[in-house]
């Protein structure tokens, strides 16, 4: 590790003597696969209702439910085949492997909202927020479809995207971003920002030492930032990078059995990430991202407010600048983005950060130091229609279009 990542030994909390040789990433899919047998997510029924979320509507928001339920063979694990799409998000890959999302990896807004609630007991407001961001930025608002991995525009779109090709969740600097926990930076791996990287999983385990809690993941998030800053001449850490902090919180808020009341230990995290020890201190990918045995979802729903509190808590432990490299070793801080980011620094007022989640889907957001992703009016109208109801009463300034 010290040879591969010389900066690591200088980071607080890292014992360089604990850094053995690691495995590297193996590209998961060299081209975007096509599965002619698209069947959609397994339906919910009265025998196995989970939180009762159906048709994109709110469920009970009451969890503590065993998933999959005893006897629910429709949601049993099935490894993805060669023609099934998987991407950078272990939580969604796991959902597809258990048929909470379409097993071929072409999902819909409605499936995403239902699956997050029924599988993980994500709150309806956060489920809608994440589904809206995914479909609007990486999918198709007309069909409501999204690839959870590669560009499958021919299957997600009827007429072609308003934003060009629909890259799926692999799309760079949209939902996916540099400094991922276990995925490469886009420009450091010839565009492979979606395959599991055993080296990075090993680094995360070295830092967390089998306990993937907030404090240790905050340190690991900082380590990944410093790694990208040092090694990636095209490194970019823009406003959407707050989603990376939110995703990190899922490891201790959503993945343990029972949620935050459970144990975010190595077997649990390895199961969701498909990580398997190689017997030499490293990790390889086993193509089996799955729900651990005898697993229960969290008791209380994980809401927009909850994830915002975690984003702020993770960031405050090791504050970093938003911005990017104009060349290796030459970092420029982002100027300002509304009231949420000023002089490259995150305004850690919880209400402001929660409103930033709304802004990411409804405003033109910098996607690089020199560029802004401009959202067509049709996309803004769609996102506003989805998000305004769940952000009503939060104090966020809501758009009218």
């Amino acid at each position: 590790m010290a040879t591969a990542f010389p900066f690591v030994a200088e980071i607080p909390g890292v014992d360089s003597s604990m850094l053995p040789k690691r495995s590297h990433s193996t590209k998961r899919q060299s081209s975007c696969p096509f599965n002619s047998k698209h069947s959609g997510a397994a339906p919910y029924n009265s025998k196995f209702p989970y939180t009762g979320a159906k048709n994109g509507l709110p469920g009970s928001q009451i969890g503590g439910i065993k998933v999959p339920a005893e006897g629910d063979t429709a949601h049993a694990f099935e490894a993805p085949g060669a023609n099934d799409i998987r991407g950078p998000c272990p939580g969604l890959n796991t959902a597809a492997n258990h048929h909470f999302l379409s097993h071929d990896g072409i999902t819909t807004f409605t499936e995403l909202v239902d699956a997050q609630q029924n599988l993980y007991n994500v709150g309806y407001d956060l489920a809608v927020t994440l589904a809206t961001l995914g479909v609007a930025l990486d999918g198709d608002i007309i069909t409501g479809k999204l690839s959870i991995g590669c560009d499958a525009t021919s299957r997600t779109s009827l007429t072609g995207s308003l934003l060009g090709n629909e890259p799926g969740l692999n799309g760079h600097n949209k939902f996916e971003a540099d400094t991922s926990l276990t995925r490469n930076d886009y420009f450091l791996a010839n565009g492979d920002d979606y395959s599991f990287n055993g080296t990075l999983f090993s680094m995360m385990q070295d830092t967390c030492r089998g306990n993937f809690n907030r404090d240790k993941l905050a340190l690991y998030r900082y380590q990944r930032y410093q790694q990208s800053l040092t090694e990636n001449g095209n490194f970019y850490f823009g406003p959407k990078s707050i989603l990376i902090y939110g995703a990190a919180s899922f490891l201790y808020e959503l993945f343990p059995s029972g949620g935050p009341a459970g144990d975010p230990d190595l077997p649990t995290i390895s199961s969701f990430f498909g990580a398997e020890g190689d017997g030499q201190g490293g990790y390889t990918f086993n193509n089996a991202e799955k729900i651990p045995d005898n697993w229960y979802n969290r008791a209380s729903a994980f809401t927009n407010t909850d994830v915002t509190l975690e984003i702020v808590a993770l960031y405050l432990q090791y504050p970093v600048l938003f911005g990017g490299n104009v060349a290796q070793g030459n970092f420029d801080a982002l100027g300002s983005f509304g009231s949420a980011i000023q002089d490259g620094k995150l305004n850690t007022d919880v209400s402001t950060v929660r409103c930033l989640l709304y802004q990411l889907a409804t405003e033109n957001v910098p996607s690089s130091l020199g560029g802004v992703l401009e959202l067509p009016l049709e996309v803004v109208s769609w996102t506003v229609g989805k998000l305004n109801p769940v952000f009503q009463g939060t104090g966020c300034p809501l758009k009218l279009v």
Side-chain angles (χ1 to χ4, degrees), residues 52-375:
K54 293 177 69 173
N55 303 317
L57 297 174
S60 67
Q61 316 284 291
I62 300 172
I65 300 165
K66 188 174 184 180
V67 185
E70 295 289 345
D72 182 11
T73 57
H75 289 106
F77 171 77
E78 181 186 355
N83 294 325
D84 295 321
I85 295 170
R86 296 295 182 268
C89 177
L92 294 186
N93 292 342
T94 297
N97 289 345
H98 284 269
H99 296 271
F100 283 92
L101 299 177
S102 301
H103 195 263
D104 68 351
I106 303 294
T107 188
T108 67
F109 176 85
T110 297
E111 279 187 3
L112 288 163
V113 173
D114 294 347
Q116 291 177 81
Q117 295 181 84
N118 286 324
L119 171 49
Y120 297 112
N121 198 18
V122 169
Y124 179 69
D125 59 349
L126 180 55
V128 169
T129 300
L130 295 176
T132 299
L133 281 162
V135 173
L137 299 179
D138 289 321
D140 191 284
I141 63 167
I142 305 301
T143 63
K145 292 181 178 179
L146 170 72
S147 162
I148 65 171
C150 52
D151 185 330
T153 304
S154 63
R155 283 159 281 164
T156 54
S157 174
L158 294 176
T159 59
S161 171
L162 293 167
L163 294 174
N165 281 353
E166 297 167 356
L169 292 183
N170 292 357
H172 183 52
N173 278 342
K174 291 190 173 183
F175 218 103
E176 176 281 329
D178 293 336
T179 77
S180 165
L181 296 179
T182 63
R183 267 57 176 178
N184 302 307
D185 285 8
Y186 180 89
F187 287 105
L188 292 181
N190 297 316
D192 183 3
D193 54 7
Y194 51 86
S195 297
F196 172 88
N197 185 317
T199 302
L200 295 177
F201 191 91
S202 295
M203 181 177 167
M204 181 167 69
Q205 162 60 5
D206 285 340
T207 299
C208 294
R209 305 291 176 89
N211 183 9
F212 297 79
N213 62 19
R214 180 201 288 165
D215 291 344
K216 292 178 179 178
L217 281 168
L219 173 59
Y220 181 60
R221 287 271 347 107
Y222 177 71
Q223 292 169 354
R224 287 290 290 124
Y225 179 95
Q226 294 298 329
Q227 179 181 354
S228 293
L229 179 66
T230 301
E231 297 182 352
N232 185 356
N234 295 290
F235 168 55
Y236 181 66
F237 198 79
K240 295 191 193 79
S241 295
I242 68 160
L243 299 173
I244 297 284
Y245 288 96
S249 76
F250 297 169
L251 275 66
Y252 56 86
E253 290 288 345
L254 298 181
F255 287 178
S257 184
D263 187 3
D265 58 14
L266 180 59
T268 298
I269 302 305
S270 296
S271 184
F272 280 105
F273 277 80
E276 190 167 309
D278 63 8
Q280 298 177 337
Y283 290 86
T284 58
F285 181 64
N286 62 14
N287 197 41
E289 295 139 303
K290 63 185 296 187
I291 301 168
D293 294 337
N294 197 34
W295 186 88
Y296 291 76
N297 61 19
R298 56 180 287 137
S300 60
F302 191 56
T303 66
N304 273 337
T305 297
D306 293 327
V307 76
T308 301
L309 288 167
E310 293 307 320
I311 289 169
V312 170
L314 286 163
Y315 178 84
L316 279 174
Q317 291 203 44
Y318 301 92
V320 295
L321 290 175
F322 289 76
N325 285 338
V326 293
Q328 195 160 346
N330 188 10
F331 181 84
D332 264 3
L334 189 69
S336 297
F337 182 72
S339 60
I341 298 175
Q342 296 286 327
D343 298 322
K345 299 175 183 177
L346 182 67
N347 178 345
T348 54
D349 172 73
V350 171
S351 296
T352 300
V353 176
R354 182 173 54 198
C355 294
L356 178 57
L357 294 174
Y358 177 86
Q359 291 174 281
L360 295 181
T362 60
E363 295 187 11
N364 297 332
V365 179
S367 56
S368 66
L369 284 176
V372 173
L373 178 64
E374 295 190 5
L375 297 177

